[in-house]
Amino acid sequence: MTSIATTTRSSYFGLMVAFTIFSLSGVFLKSIYGMPVGSIIYYRLIFGLITLLVFMALTGKLEELLVTSKRKYIFLMGCTNTLTIYAYFTAIQHVGISIAALLLYTAPIYVTILTPILLKENITTRDIMGLLLSAIGIIIAIHPAGNFSLKADDLYMLGITLGLLSGISYALSTINYRYLRDTYSSTALLFWPTVVSLVLLSPYASLVSPETLAMNIGELILFGILMTTFGSLLYYRSARHVKAQNLSVISLVEPVAGILFGYLILHEQIFSYTLEGCACILTGVFLISTKSNLSIEEKSMPAYVREYYPSGHQQSLLHTFYRTLCKGPLKNQKR
């Protein structure tokens, strides 16, 4: 029992350190000049991948890279990871770290919205409260001048859209990871999706001149080592020992730390409405993430809501996809 408790405590600490490291992404991004987002991500990943290979060679873990099954899900994880990082970094450039980080961590909201459709689960009153708070928080946090002006800048609106997209793709990456983690090690789940990302982003490699690359080489190497290798590896190894709802709560360290670092290091202005939106979003995500599966105190939505969801053999395409993603092909499930 002591060893289990110790492992759990160290996992919580590891996750807090990992999310704090991830919150520095905006600081690194702002310190790199003359490079498009795709090129920054590409070189960050390639330096991180080289470091990871050296680490695995020194620790004798290269055999863990053998891919035996579920290849398409590894590819899917690489695709969603790429979309998450690209959308998030682009959002940072257009709307700043604070708002981009908040929109990234709306991922539990999308999971809650899709759960009744995909898994035929009831929506609880706690879910509704969390969703309403989060929706209000997003509306408060994103408007550009502290009021509901419809004349928002096009780039600002693009940043908002990409921030929301990063949250959706992050939710899909999380689902995919939980399906693969019992089959592959943390290093394998970090290595192969990174390889997929590098292939997808390879056209950006040639968009940077040697002079520009040399000017930013120090920041890119440190960016890759901290984020791609150390932070991600610490996250994957620690997440194995933490429940999903607790992991969602701990992840809230990143947007809070991101806002703090943006203010202290980059001197980004923090508006009162940003803090108000932050409080609403984080409270809503906390309510959603800490709910119990079958709480007596929680009352589910009326039965007439469920009639619009698929039942029996008349399952929707989304429901079938979700079951396939989370539990493997239907033909392999136990009958």
Side-chain angles (χ1 to χ4, degrees), residues 103-151:
L103 296 179
L104 173 67
Y105 278 90
T106 55
I109 300 173
Y110 309 124
V111 174
T112 301
I113 293 173
L114 292 174
T115 294
I117 302 173
L118 304 179
L119 295 181
K120 297 186 295 182
E121 294 180 356
N122 295 332
I123 300 179
T124 65
T125 53
R126 190 184 183 97
D127 292 331
I128 296 298
M129 290 176 59
L131 288 173
L132 287 176
L133 275 173
S134 298
I136 292 171
I138 292 173
I139 294 173
I140 293 174
I142 66 176
H143 44 104
N147 54 56
F148 293 92
S149 173
L150 297 178
K151 298 180 180 179

Side-chain angles (χ1 to χ4, degrees), residues 68-73 179 183 323-335:
T68 56
S69 61
K70 303 178 182 178
R71 295 179 179 86
K72 59 183 177 181
Y73 299 106
Y179 172 56
T183 304
R323 290 185 61 188
T324 303
L325 180 61
C326 296
K327 299 181 180 180
L330 296 180
K331 64 180 181 182
N332 292 333
Q333 294 181 13
K334 295 181 179 180
R335 299 183 181 276

Side-chain angles (χ1 to χ4, degrees), residues 7 16 32 58 118 137 150 185 261 282 320-321:
T7 300
M16 292 182 68
I32 297 172
L58 293 176
L118 304 179
L150 297 178
S185 67
F261 288 138
L282 298 187
T320 304
F321 169 77

Side-chain angles (χ1 to χ4, degrees), residues 204-269:
Y204 286 96
S206 60
L207 297 182
V208 181
S209 66
E211 294 78 13
T212 302
L213 182 59
M215 181 177 63
N216 295 294
I217 193 68
E219 289 82 359
L220 289 170
I221 292 176
L222 185 59
F223 199 9
I225 293 174
L226 276 179
M227 304 293 171
T228 307
T229 305
F230 183 72
S232 297
L233 197 57
L234 186 61
Y235 166 78
Y236 284 133
R237 291 192 169 184
S238 301
R240 291 176 177 271
H241 307 288
V242 176
K243 293 180 179 180
Q245 60 267 32
N246 295 339
L247 178 61
S248 297
V249 174
I250 298 172
S251 70
L252 300 182
V253 169
E254 182 173 350
V256 174
I259 294 173
L260 181 62
F261 288 138
Y263 174 75
L264 294 177
I265 300 176
L266 299 178
H267 308 293
E268 287 190 353
Q269 189 173 1

Side-chain angles (χ1 to χ4, degrees), residues 37-38 41-42 44-45 74-92 100 103-104 110 158-174 193-194 196-201 204:
V37 169
I41 299 172
Y42 177 84
R44 176 203 126 170
L45 292 177
I74 293 177
F75 176 76
L76 178 61
M77 187 173 177
C79 293
T80 53
N81 285 355
T82 305
L83 180 58
T84 300
I85 300 173
Y86 189 90
Y88 177 48
F89 282 9
T90 307
I92 288 176
L103 296 179
L104 173 67
Y110 309 124
L158 175 62
I160 295 298
T161 303
L162 290 174
L164 293 170
L165 180 60
S166 70
I168 296 173
S169 58
Y170 181 52
L172 295 175
S173 291
T174 302
T194 301
V196 173
S197 296
L198 284 173
V199 173
L200 294 175
L201 295 169
Y204 286 96

